[in-house]
Amino acid sequence: MAKTFIGTGRRKSSIARVRMTSGKGKITINGRDVNEYLPFKTLVMDLKQPLEATKTANKFDIDVDVKGGGFSGQTGAIRLGITRALLQYDINTDPSSETSFRKILKQEGFITRDARVKERKKYGLKKARRAPQFSKR
């Protein structure tokens, strides 16, 4: 049986569980093909960046369960999940070597979780920082 590598990614209010097995490069999100699930080609490109950086685009089949947030947040969560699964796959390689996935992905900035989330609304304001319109008279 093929070994499965698992990675969890989060971005904004999205959470993605990524399962990576050896295969031909098929990506499935919530039971649907990646091109069918995501509405824009740029999001698909963004999602595949860690695979292209490590030259493993056609080496793994990826199955993703993602929930919460919108397409952009989900794409970011999936990308982080794929990165963490790749790190798990490459765990026995020395991190200081030039060919280690950790070094490649760290340079591209894929390992760091984007911690930016929506700021909460405050009372007396219309949004987080937007004050009601001021009227002099």
Side-chain angles (χ1 to χ4, degrees):
M1 193 188 139
K3 185 136 171 56
T4 304
F5 303 97
I6 296 168
T8 304
R10 293 180 191 84
R11 169 85 168 89
K12 294 187 179 182
S13 60
S14 301
I15 300 170
R17 287 197 326 258
V18 177
R19 278 183 302 287
M20 201 169 72
T21 52
S22 56
K24 301 229 179 348
K26 189 167 173 281
I27 300 175
T28 315
I29 303 173
N30 291 349
R32 291 161 59 193
D33 183 61
V34 66
N35 296 308
E36 187 188 315
Y37 185 82
L38 295 172
F40 309 113
K41 294 277 179 248
T42 51
L43 292 176
V44 177
M45 282 170 36
D46 193 37
L47 179 142
K48 290 180 178 178
Q49 281 178 329
L51 297 168
E52 259 124 48
T54 55
K55 297 175 180 65
T56 54
N58 298 326
K59 199 173 177 183
F60 298 107
D61 284 343
I62 296 171
D63 185 40
V64 182
D65 290 320
V66 66
K67 60 183 178 207
F71 290 117
S72 177
Q74 287 186 352
T75 302
I78 294 167
R79 186 170 85 168
L80 182 60
I82 289 171
T83 301
R84 287 180 174 170
L86 283 169
L87 291 175
Q88 195 182 44
Y89 164 76
D90 196 48
I91 200 156
N92 295 326
T93 308
D94 178 34
S96 59
S97 77
E98 289 298 317
T99 57
S100 82
F101 284 2
R102 180 158 194 88
K103 190 161 198 153
I104 295 164
L105 294 168
K106 185 76 174 168
Q107 283 174 344
E108 297 290 325
F110 298 142
I111 292 176
T112 311
R113 188 231 196 261
D114 191 346
R116 295 175 296 169
V117 292
K118 189 172 167 89
E119 191 176 334
R120 81 170 202 87
K121 183 196 174 299
K122 280 78 168 188
Y123 59 87
L125 301 180
K126 290 187 176 291
K127 290 167 59 180
R129 299 186 183 198
R130 169 77 172 105
Q133 189 173 16
F134 174 74
S135 172
K136 200 169 198 176
R137 287 176 190 91

